[in-house]
Protein backbone atom coordinates (compact mmCIF):
# COMPACT_ATOMS: atom_id res chain seq x y z
CA UNK A 1 0.00 0.00 0.00
CA UNK A 2 1.51 3.33 -1.08
CA UNK A 3 1.57 6.08 1.50
CA UNK A 4 0.37 9.63 0.78
CA UNK A 5 3.20 12.15 0.86
CA UNK A 6 2.81 15.18 3.10
CA UNK A 7 5.08 18.17 2.56
CA UNK A 8 6.11 18.48 6.19
CA UNK A 9 9.52 18.42 7.77
CA UNK A 10 12.05 17.40 5.14
CA UNK A 11 9.57 17.94 2.27
CA UNK A 12 8.85 21.49 3.37
CA UNK A 13 12.55 22.21 3.68
CA UNK A 14 13.18 20.91 0.16
CA UNK A 15 10.36 23.05 -1.28
CA UNK A 16 11.48 26.20 0.56
CA UNK A 17 15.10 25.61 -0.45
CA UNK A 18 14.19 25.22 -4.13
CA UNK A 19 11.99 28.35 -4.11
CA UNK A 20 14.69 30.33 -2.30
CA UNK A 21 17.26 29.21 -4.86
CA UNK A 22 14.97 30.22 -7.74
CA UNK A 23 14.33 33.68 -6.25
CA UNK A 24 18.00 34.10 -5.40
CA UNK A 25 19.12 33.16 -8.91
CA UNK A 26 16.61 35.63 -10.41
CA UNK A 27 17.76 38.44 -8.12
CA UNK A 28 21.42 37.70 -8.81
CA UNK A 29 20.72 37.67 -12.54
CA UNK A 30 18.95 41.04 -12.43
CA UNK A 31 21.51 42.59 -10.07
CA UNK A 32 24.50 41.45 -12.10
CA UNK A 33 22.80 42.71 -15.27
CA UNK A 34 22.44 46.18 -13.76
CA UNK A 35 26.02 46.13 -12.49
CA UNK A 36 27.22 45.10 -15.93
CA UNK A 37 25.33 47.86 -17.73
CA UNK A 38 26.35 50.40 -15.08
CA UNK A 39 30.04 49.63 -15.62
CA UNK A 40 29.54 49.60 -19.36
CA UNK A 41 27.82 53.01 -19.22
CA UNK A 42 30.55 54.49 -17.02
CA UNK A 43 33.68 53.22 -18.75
CA UNK A 44 32.62 52.26 -22.27
CA UNK A 45 29.54 54.38 -23.06
CA UNK A 46 30.26 54.20 -26.78
CA UNK A 47 29.02 50.61 -26.77
CA UNK A 48 25.56 51.59 -25.47
CA UNK A 49 22.69 53.10 -27.44
CA UNK A 50 22.28 56.83 -26.74
CA UNK A 51 18.64 56.55 -25.66
CA UNK A 52 19.21 53.60 -23.25
CA UNK A 53 18.30 54.14 -19.57
CA UNK A 54 19.26 52.08 -16.53
CA UNK A 55 15.82 52.63 -15.01
CA UNK A 56 13.54 49.75 -16.11
CA UNK A 57 10.35 50.55 -17.92
CA UNK A 58 6.98 49.14 -16.94
CA UNK A 59 7.09 46.33 -19.56
CA UNK A 60 10.58 45.40 -18.35
CA UNK A 61 9.39 45.27 -14.73
CA UNK A 62 6.45 43.08 -15.76
CA UNK A 63 8.78 40.84 -17.75
CA UNK A 64 11.13 40.43 -14.77
CA UNK A 65 8.20 39.58 -12.51
CA UNK A 66 6.90 37.02 -15.00
CA UNK A 67 10.33 35.41 -15.36
CA UNK A 68 10.75 35.28 -11.57
CA UNK A 69 7.27 33.81 -11.11
CA UNK A 70 7.93 31.15 -13.73
CA UNK A 71 11.24 30.27 -12.07
CA UNK A 72 9.64 30.03 -8.64
CA UNK A 73 6.77 27.92 -10.01
CA UNK A 74 9.17 25.53 -11.73
CA UNK A 75 11.26 25.28 -8.56
CA UNK A 76 8.14 24.53 -6.49
CA UNK A 77 6.98 21.93 -9.04
CA UNK A 78 10.29 20.07 -9.08
CA UNK A 79 10.62 20.40 -5.30
CA UNK A 80 7.23 18.75 -4.83
CA UNK A 81 8.08 15.80 -7.07
CA UNK A 82 11.56 15.45 -5.56
CA UNK A 83 10.01 15.45 -2.09
CA UNK A 84 7.50 12.87 -3.22
CA UNK A 85 10.24 10.55 -4.50
CA UNK A 86 12.24 10.93 -1.30
CA UNK A 87 9.49 11.07 1.30
CA UNK A 88 7.19 8.43 -0.19
CA UNK A 89 9.50 5.51 0.68
CA UNK A 90 10.62 7.23 3.90
CA UNK A 91 7.03 7.62 5.11
CA UNK A 92 6.38 3.97 4.24
CA UNK A 93 9.58 3.03 6.06
CA UNK A 94 8.53 4.91 9.19
CA UNK A 95 5.11 3.24 9.19
CA UNK A 96 6.68 -0.19 8.64
CA UNK A 97 9.23 0.38 11.42
CA UNK A 98 6.37 1.24 13.77
CA UNK A 99 4.52 -1.92 12.71
CA UNK A 100 7.62 -4.06 13.28
CA UNK A 101 8.14 -2.45 16.69
CA UNK A 102 4.56 -3.45 17.54
CA UNK A 103 5.30 -7.06 16.57
CA UNK A 104 4.03 -7.20 12.97
CA UNK A 105 6.93 -8.92 11.17
CA UNK A 106 4.95 -9.22 7.93
CA UNK A 107 5.26 -5.49 7.27
CA UNK A 108 7.29 -4.80 4.14
CA UNK A 109 7.72 -1.92 1.71
CA UNK A 110 7.06 -2.18 -2.02
CA UNK A 111 8.79 0.19 -4.42
CA UNK A 112 8.22 1.03 -8.05
CA UNK A 113 10.94 1.26 -10.68
CA UNK A 114 11.15 5.05 -10.47
CA UNK A 115 12.67 5.16 -7.00
CA UNK A 116 16.17 6.50 -6.56
CA UNK A 117 18.99 4.01 -6.12
CA UNK A 118 19.82 5.06 -2.56
CA UNK A 119 16.16 4.84 -1.52
CA UNK A 120 15.86 1.42 -3.12
CA UNK A 121 18.95 0.18 -1.24
CA UNK A 122 17.56 1.51 2.04
CA UNK A 123 14.22 -0.22 1.52
CA UNK A 124 15.86 -3.47 0.38
CA UNK A 125 18.02 -3.50 3.52
CA UNK A 126 14.97 -2.89 5.69
CA UNK A 127 13.01 -5.70 4.01
CA UNK A 128 16.01 -7.99 4.45
CA UNK A 129 16.17 -7.07 8.14
CA UNK A 130 12.47 -7.85 8.55
CA UNK A 131 12.99 -11.25 6.88
CA UNK A 132 15.82 -12.05 9.30
CA UNK A 133 13.75 -10.95 12.29
CA UNK A 134 10.86 -13.13 11.13
CA UNK A 135 13.17 -16.10 10.64
CA UNK A 136 14.64 -15.57 14.12
CA UNK A 137 11.15 -15.30 15.64
CA UNK A 138 10.03 -18.48 13.86
CA UNK A 139 13.16 -20.30 15.04
CA UNK A 140 12.58 -19.11 18.60
CA UNK A 141 8.98 -20.33 18.47
CA UNK A 142 10.13 -23.67 17.06
CA UNK A 143 12.81 -24.02 19.75
CA UNK A 144 10.40 -23.16 22.56
CA UNK A 145 7.90 -25.74 21.34
CA UNK A 146 10.61 -28.38 20.80
CA UNK A 147 12.22 -27.81 24.21
CA UNK A 148 8.83 -27.98 25.93
CA UNK A 149 8.07 -31.22 24.08
CA UNK A 150 11.38 -32.86 24.98
CA UNK A 151 11.27 -31.85 28.64
CA UNK A 152 7.62 -32.74 29.11
CA UNK A 153 8.10 -36.52 28.78
CA UNK A 154 10.73 -37.08 31.51
CA UNK A 155 9.11 -34.49 33.78
CA UNK A 156 5.71 -36.18 33.38
CA UNK A 157 7.22 -39.58 34.17
CA UNK A 158 9.03 -38.19 37.20
CA UNK A 159 5.88 -36.49 38.43
CA UNK A 160 3.80 -39.64 38.01
CA UNK A 161 6.34 -41.91 39.68
CA UNK A 162 6.95 -39.57 42.61
CA UNK A 163 3.20 -39.05 43.05
CA UNK A 164 2.72 -42.83 42.97
CA UNK A 165 5.41 -43.31 45.60
CA UNK A 166 3.88 -40.59 47.77
CA UNK A 167 0.41 -42.17 47.50
CA UNK A 168 1.71 -45.66 48.20
CA UNK A 169 0.80 -46.97 44.73
CA UNK A 170 4.42 -47.95 44.00
CA UNK A 171 6.78 -49.70 46.34
CA UNK A 172 9.93 -47.63 47.04
CA UNK A 173 12.26 -50.38 45.79
CA UNK A 174 15.49 -50.23 43.79
CA UNK A 175 13.69 -50.58 40.44
CA UNK A 176 11.59 -47.49 41.11
CA UNK A 177 14.60 -45.42 42.13
CA UNK A 178 16.56 -46.64 39.10
CA UNK A 179 13.68 -45.51 36.90
CA UNK A 180 13.65 -42.09 38.55
CA UNK A 181 17.42 -41.82 38.18
CA UNK A 182 17.18 -42.68 34.48
CA UNK A 183 14.67 -39.88 33.93
CA UNK A 184 16.84 -37.39 35.83
CA UNK A 185 19.83 -38.49 33.75
CA UNK A 186 17.82 -37.98 30.59
CA UNK A 187 16.82 -34.50 31.73
CA UNK A 188 20.45 -33.64 32.50
CA UNK A 189 21.51 -34.90 29.07
CA UNK A 190 18.90 -32.78 27.28
CA UNK A 191 19.86 -29.68 29.29
CA UNK A 192 23.58 -30.19 28.58
CA UNK A 193 22.92 -30.76 24.87
CA UNK A 194 20.83 -27.59 24.73
CA UNK A 195 23.61 -25.66 26.45
CA UNK A 196 26.24 -26.91 23.99
CA UNK A 197 24.14 -26.10 20.92
CA UNK A 198 23.16 -22.67 22.25
CA UNK A 199 26.74 -21.71 23.15
CA UNK A 200 27.96 -22.91 19.76
CA UNK A 201 25.42 -20.80 17.87
CA UNK A 202 26.77 -17.72 19.65
CA UNK A 203 30.39 -18.91 19.26
CA UNK A 204 30.84 -19.10 23.04
CA UNK A 205 31.40 -22.85 23.39
CA UNK A 206 34.58 -23.16 25.45
CA UNK A 207 37.13 -25.78 24.40
CA UNK A 208 40.63 -26.60 25.62
CA UNK A 209 42.36 -28.26 22.66
CA UNK A 210 45.50 -30.30 23.00
CA UNK A 211 47.26 -33.06 21.10
CA UNK A 212 44.87 -35.96 21.67
CA UNK A 213 45.29 -39.63 20.85
CA UNK A 214 41.88 -40.01 19.20
CA UNK A 215 42.55 -43.68 18.40
CA UNK A 216 42.94 -44.40 22.11
CA UNK A 217 39.87 -42.26 22.92
CA UNK A 218 37.75 -44.07 20.31
CA UNK A 219 38.86 -47.49 21.54
CA UNK A 220 37.94 -46.49 25.09
CA UNK A 221 34.51 -45.17 24.02
CA UNK A 222 33.75 -48.30 21.97
CA UNK A 223 34.53 -50.46 25.01
CA UNK A 224 32.38 -48.18 27.18
CA UNK A 225 29.42 -48.44 24.78
CA UNK A 226 29.83 -52.16 24.12
CA UNK A 227 26.76 -53.17 26.17
CA UNK A 228 24.70 -50.64 24.22
CA UNK A 229 26.05 -52.00 20.91
CA UNK A 230 25.20 -55.57 21.95
CA UNK A 231 21.60 -54.62 22.77
CA UNK A 232 21.16 -52.80 19.45
CA UNK A 233 22.79 -55.63 17.48
CA UNK A 234 25.84 -53.74 16.25
CA UNK A 235 29.41 -54.97 15.87
CA UNK A 236 32.19 -52.39 15.77
CA UNK A 237 35.44 -52.55 13.81
CA UNK A 238 38.06 -49.81 13.67
CA UNK A 239 40.98 -48.85 11.42
CA UNK A 240 43.24 -46.13 12.81
CA UNK A 241 45.45 -44.77 10.02
CA UNK A 242 46.16 -41.62 12.03
CA UNK A 243 46.10 -41.38 15.80
CA UNK A 244 46.45 -37.75 16.87
CA UNK A 245 44.29 -34.64 16.47
CA UNK A 246 44.28 -31.17 18.04
CA UNK A 247 41.07 -31.21 20.07
CA UNK A 248 39.53 -31.03 23.52
CA UNK A 249 39.46 -34.66 24.79
CA UNK A 250 36.30 -34.20 26.86
CA UNK A 251 34.42 -32.46 24.04
CA UNK A 252 35.63 -35.13 21.61
CA UNK A 253 34.24 -37.83 23.89
CA UNK A 254 30.95 -35.94 24.18
CA UNK A 255 30.63 -35.67 20.39
CA UNK A 256 31.46 -39.33 19.75
CA UNK A 257 29.09 -40.55 22.49
CA UNK A 258 26.31 -38.49 20.93
CA UNK A 259 27.10 -39.99 17.51
CA UNK A 260 27.24 -43.55 18.87
CA UNK A 261 23.96 -42.99 20.68
CA UNK A 262 22.37 -41.76 17.45
CA UNK A 263 23.58 -44.81 15.52
CA UNK A 264 22.43 -47.36 18.10
CA UNK A 265 18.97 -45.76 18.18
CA UNK A 266 18.38 -45.27 14.47
CA UNK A 267 20.71 -47.51 12.41
CA UNK A 268 19.88 -51.05 11.36
CA UNK A 269 21.60 -53.86 13.23
CA UNK A 270 24.89 -54.75 11.61
CA UNK A 271 28.48 -53.59 11.36
CA UNK A 272 29.76 -50.17 12.39
CA UNK A 273 33.08 -49.25 10.80
CA UNK A 274 35.32 -46.55 12.27
CA UNK A 275 38.18 -45.10 10.21
CA UNK A 276 40.67 -42.34 10.94
CA UNK A 277 42.99 -40.76 8.42
CA UNK A 278 44.83 -37.53 7.68
CA UNK A 279 43.77 -35.14 4.92
CA UNK A 280 46.00 -32.08 4.69
CA UNK A 281 45.69 -30.02 7.86
CA UNK A 282 42.80 -32.13 9.14
CA UNK A 283 42.24 -35.53 10.67
CA UNK A 284 39.12 -37.29 9.42
CA UNK A 285 37.03 -39.64 11.55
CA UNK A 286 34.45 -41.59 9.56
CA UNK A 287 31.69 -43.67 11.17
CA UNK A 288 29.84 -45.96 8.76
CA UNK A 289 26.71 -47.96 9.58
CA UNK A 290 24.41 -50.40 7.78
CA UNK A 291 21.57 -48.00 7.05
CA UNK A 292 18.78 -47.18 6.48
CA UNK A 293 20.47 -43.83 5.82
CA UNK A 294 19.01 -40.35 5.64
CA UNK A 295 16.28 -39.76 3.01
CA UNK A 296 17.38 -37.68 0.05
CA UNK A 297 16.81 -33.98 0.59
CA UNK A 298 17.17 -34.14 4.39
CA UNK A 299 20.98 -34.31 4.55
CA UNK A 300 21.39 -30.55 5.06
CA UNK A 301 19.12 -30.36 8.12
CA UNK A 302 20.15 -33.40 10.16
CA UNK A 303 22.86 -31.43 11.99
CA UNK A 304 20.37 -28.77 13.13
CA UNK A 305 18.78 -28.95 16.57
CA UNK A 306 15.47 -30.86 16.82
CA UNK A 307 15.57 -31.80 13.12
CA UNK A 308 14.84 -35.50 12.93
CA UNK A 309 15.03 -37.48 9.72
CA UNK A 310 11.60 -38.67 8.63
CA UNK A 311 12.65 -42.33 8.99
CA UNK A 312 13.64 -41.70 12.64
CA UNK A 313 10.62 -39.82 13.96
CA UNK A 314 9.12 -42.97 15.41
CA UNK A 315 12.18 -43.41 17.66
CA UNK A 316 12.44 -41.82 21.08
CA UNK A 317 15.14 -39.20 20.63
CA UNK A 318 15.56 -35.52 21.38
CA UNK A 319 16.81 -34.54 17.93
CA UNK A 320 19.84 -32.91 19.56
CA UNK A 321 22.50 -35.62 19.13
CA UNK A 322 23.83 -34.69 15.69
CA UNK A 323 23.47 -30.97 16.48
CA UNK A 324 25.79 -31.51 19.46
CA UNK A 325 28.27 -33.33 17.23
CA UNK A 326 28.25 -30.46 14.71
CA UNK A 327 28.51 -27.82 17.45
CA UNK A 328 31.60 -29.40 19.01
CA UNK A 329 33.33 -30.01 15.68
CA UNK A 330 32.66 -26.44 14.50
CA UNK A 331 33.98 -25.07 17.81
CA UNK A 332 37.31 -26.74 16.94
CA UNK A 333 37.32 -25.09 13.50
CA UNK A 334 36.46 -28.39 11.85
CA UNK A 335 33.75 -29.70 9.55
CA UNK A 336 31.07 -32.37 9.77
CA UNK A 337 29.27 -33.96 6.84
CA UNK A 338 27.07 -36.85 5.81
CA UNK A 339 26.92 -39.08 2.76
CA UNK A 340 25.45 -42.45 1.81
CA UNK A 341 27.54 -45.50 1.00
CA UNK A 342 26.90 -47.81 -1.94
CA UNK A 343 24.71 -50.15 0.12
CA UNK A 344 22.50 -47.30 1.41
CA UNK A 345 24.12 -46.94 4.82
CA UNK A 346 25.25 -43.71 6.44
CA UNK A 347 28.77 -42.31 6.61
CA UNK A 348 29.31 -39.52 9.11
CA UNK A 349 32.57 -37.67 8.54
CA UNK A 350 34.19 -35.46 11.18
CA UNK A 351 37.21 -33.32 10.33
CA UNK A 352 39.33 -31.95 13.18
CA UNK A 353 42.59 -29.97 13.05
CA UNK A 354 45.64 -32.20 13.00
CA UNK A 355 47.81 -29.71 14.91
CA UNK A 356 47.48 -26.45 16.79
CA UNK A 357 48.96 -24.49 13.87
CA UNK A 358 46.73 -21.98 12.03
CA UNK A 359 44.79 -23.69 9.25
CA UNK A 360 44.70 -22.28 5.73
CA UNK A 361 41.14 -22.71 4.47
Amino acid sequence: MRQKVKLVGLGKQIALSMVTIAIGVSLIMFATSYVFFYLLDKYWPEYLPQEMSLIPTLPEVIWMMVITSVGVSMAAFFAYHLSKEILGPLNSLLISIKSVAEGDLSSKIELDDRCMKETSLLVDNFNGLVDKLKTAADEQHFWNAAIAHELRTPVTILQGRIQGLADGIFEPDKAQFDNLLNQVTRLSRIIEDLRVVSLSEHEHLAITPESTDIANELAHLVALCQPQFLVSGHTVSATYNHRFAWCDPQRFQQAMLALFDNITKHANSGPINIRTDKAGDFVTIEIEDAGPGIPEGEELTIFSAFRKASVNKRHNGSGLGLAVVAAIVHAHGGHVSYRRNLSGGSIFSLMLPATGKPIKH
Side-chain angles (χ1 to χ4, degrees), residues 10 18 38 70 75 96 105 125 251-252 254 273 279 315 338 346 352 355 358-359:
L10 180 60
M18 294 288 285
Y38 171 78
V70 170
S96 297
L105 297 181
N125 288 333
R251 292 297 186 189
F252 177 76
Q254 185 179 7
N273 300 316
H315 293 279
Y338 167 87
S346 298
L352 295 172
T355 65
I359 297 175

Side-chain angles (χ1 to χ4, degrees), residues 151 154-155 158 182-192:
L151 295 179
V155 169
L158 279 172
N182 287 336
Q183 297 305 321
V184 172
T185 302
R186 182 182 175 188
L187 271 175
S188 299
R189 173 76 177 274
I190 292 174
I191 293 170
E192 172 61 18

Side-chain angles (χ1 to χ4, degrees), residues 84-259:
K84 188 175 181 180
E85 287 190 15
I86 295 176
L87 292 183
L90 289 182
N91 286 339
S92 298
L93 181 61
L94 290 174
I95 294 173
S96 297
I97 289 175
K98 183 178 179 181
S99 298
V100 171
E102 293 173 351
D104 180 12
L105 297 181
S106 63
S107 179
K108 285 191 176 183
I109 305 172
E110 294 184 3
L111 294 177
D112 54 35
D113 297 334
R114 295 175 297 175
C115 286
M116 292 181 288
K117 180 180 178 181
E118 291 78 5
T119 304
S120 179
L121 289 175
L122 176 63
V123 171
D124 287 343
N125 288 333
F126 172 78
N127 288 339
L129 176 62
V130 172
D131 287 336
K132 290 182 179 180
L133 287 174
K134 190 174 187 306
T135 300
D138 291 342
E139 283 292 322
Q140 183 181 21
H141 178 74
F142 172 79
W143 268 66
N144 290 340
I147 291 172
H149 172 76
E150 294 302 329
L151 295 179
R152 183 170 58 245
T153 300
V155 169
T156 301
I157 294 175
L158 279 172
Q159 183 180 12
R161 292 287 177 177
I162 294 174
Q163 186 66 48
L165 288 170
D167 294 341
I169 299 175
F170 301 126
E171 291 292 332
D173 54 16
K174 184 177 183 302
Q176 292 296 335
F177 287 114
D178 286 343
N179 186 290
L180 293 175
L181 182 60
N182 287 336
Q183 297 305 321
V184 172
T185 302
R186 182 182 175 188
L187 271 175
S188 299
R189 173 76 177 274
I190 292 174
I191 293 170
E192 172 61 18
D193 289 348
L194 285 170
R195 190 181 74 88
V196 169
V197 174
S198 178
L199 288 174
S200 174
E201 287 190 349
H202 295 86
E203 298 183 355
H204 291 156
L205 181 59
I207 60 171
T208 308
E210 60 185 60
S211 182
T212 303
D213 188 341
I214 58 172
N216 184 61
E217 294 289 345
L218 286 168
H220 171 72
L221 293 174
V222 169
L224 183 67
C225 297
Q226 193 59 38
Q228 190 176 352
F229 289 134
L230 290 175
V231 172
S232 60
H234 292 97
T235 56
V236 181
S237 62
T239 303
Y240 304 123
N241 296 319
H242 191 82
R243 299 187 64 90
F244 290 91
W246 187 258
C247 63
D248 185 324
Q250 292 184 346
R251 292 297 186 189
F252 177 76
Q253 292 177 11
Q254 185 179 7
M256 297 311 303
L257 286 174
L259 187 54

Side-chain angles (χ1 to χ4, degrees), residues 23 42 82 180 247:
I23 295 175
K42 184 175 182 179
L82 179 61
L180 293 175
C247 63

